[in-house]
Amino acid sequence: MLVLLPPSETKHQGGADKTLQLDTLSFADALQQTRERVLTALQELSPAAASEGDAAAAFLKALKLKPGSTAEQALTNNQELLTAPVLPAIRRYTGVLYDALDYDALNDTAKAWVNSHVAVQSALFGLVTAADLIPAYRLSGGSTLPGLKPALKQQWQKAHDSIDWAASGFVLDLRSKDYVKLAALPAGANTAWLSVEQQAADGSVRALNHFNKAAKGELVSLLANSGCEAKNADEFCEWAAGQGLNISPDPSADGVLRYILPER
């Protein structure tokens, strides 16, 4: 079983006394060359400073940033990709989903489950496992790198096509739609995309945004603590029912599961 997560724009700084080694990241056979191209294009985009000049304007536009401390930190991170300290991907990312997952609070057995069953869809590195060591960086799935041809989405779509998804067994896709576009899963494969929704007191159901991310983080924590090894969507739904979760196939969309939360 493999659980796919989206990344986050915000990231923890710092890390271990090691630096990025691209050839040690997971899925290197499929993704190594594209990782090198994207990393090079991102570094070529980095100006001397993020505050003035045409190069700075191009940098801010490509990464959809405004001048200020966030842009300066993004620039520093991208300039130092090859020399900055690294952290496991699951500890590098921050934000609502990762706070709700709370990896550091898990026991050793649950952490081991996350390390072997969770992967993150990075715009810079492509698919990386939870344990892969990466530096802080700034690049989103919607970014445009002027020096990268074809564009970022097309680069990653082609690279991920050669991944042997079947080798991972059942793939539970918790990625946002922007990141699904970077690596579409094969049609008809043993996969399911999770739609998080909320049921109101009147019975109506609506899609969630903020609580969507929290629910996904809490779900991964439950999976890890239970050591879930679902072999397909049916087994996953059975596991969910045992946890008191309302998850079932969407009758109107193949390969989609609906996770319906009570109103909060």
Side-chain angles (χ1 to χ4, degrees):
M1 180 179 184
L2 182 65
V3 180
L4 304 184
L5 298 182
S8 64
E9 294 286 6
T10 56
K11 298 170 184 70
H12 287 296
Q13 298 296 312
D17 188 21
K18 296 180 180 179
T19 56
L20 176 66
Q21 302 296 320
L22 279 180
D23 59 357
T24 68
L25 298 182
S26 302
F27 312 104
D29 289 347
L31 306 182
Q32 176 77 4
Q33 291 184 352
T34 304
R35 285 169 174 159
E36 292 173 353
R37 285 196 293 270
V38 176
L39 190 150
T40 297
L42 182 59
Q43 290 199 300
E44 288 177 347
L45 178 67
S46 300
S51 56
E52 59 184 37
D54 292 342
F59 171 80
L60 295 173
K61 180 179 178 181
L63 300 188
K64 300 178 181 179
L65 293 169
K66 295 180 179 180
S69 59
T70 298
E72 294 293 347
Q73 183 64 69
L75 176 59
T76 298
N77 287 343
N78 290 353
Q79 287 175 330
E80 298 177 354
L81 286 169
L82 299 179
T83 58
V86 291
L87 279 174
I90 198 65
R91 296 187 63 235
R92 176 63 71 194
Y93 297 104
T94 64
V96 175
L97 189 156
Y98 292 89
D99 289 347
L101 196 165
D102 200 2
Y103 175 82
D104 288 339
L106 298 175
N107 62 37
D108 289 345
T109 301
K111 285 179 179 176
W113 188 96
V114 170
N115 291 343
S116 60
H117 290 76
V118 172
V120 182
Q121 188 70 59
S122 165
L124 176 56
F125 300 113
L127 198 67
V128 292
T129 64
D132 279 332
L133 298 173
I134 59 174
Y137 66 93
R138 182 69 180 230
L139 183 69
S140 67
S143 299
T144 301
L145 298 177
L148 189 66
K149 306 295 181 183
L152 188 68
K153 182 171 72 172
Q154 286 71 37
Q155 291 273 352
W156 283 129
Q157 285 175 339
K158 182 177 180 180
H160 287 87
D161 281 347
S162 59
I163 288 180
D164 182 8
W165 295 102
S168 298
F170 173 54
V171 179
L172 178 63
D173 194 350
L174 306 187
R175 297 174 299 173
S176 56
K177 291 184 179 180
D178 283 346
Y179 283 92
V180 170
K181 292 176 182 178
L182 296 186
L185 299 177
N190 186 19
T191 67
W193 184 77
L194 192 73
S195 173
V196 181
E197 305 167 12
Q198 185 175 68
Q199 186 168 34
D202 63 4
S204 61
V205 175
R206 62 182 178 86
L208 288 175
N209 187 7
H210 176 87
F211 288 126
N212 167 4
K213 297 177 181 179
K216 288 177 178 178
E218 292 165 359
L219 175 62
V220 176
S221 181
L222 278 175
L223 286 164
N225 281 310
S226 70
C228 180
E229 294 290 351
K231 295 180 175 60
N232 51 52
D234 288 341
E235 287 192 10
F236 170 69
C237 289
E238 291 174 7
W239 169 87
Q243 301 291 320
L245 306 178
N246 184 1
I247 300 178
S248 60
D250 185 339
S252 65
D254 290 340
V256 176
L257 299 176
R258 299 179 70 193
Y259 180 13
I260 300 178
L261 301 171
E263 191 168 30
R264 297 192 180 191

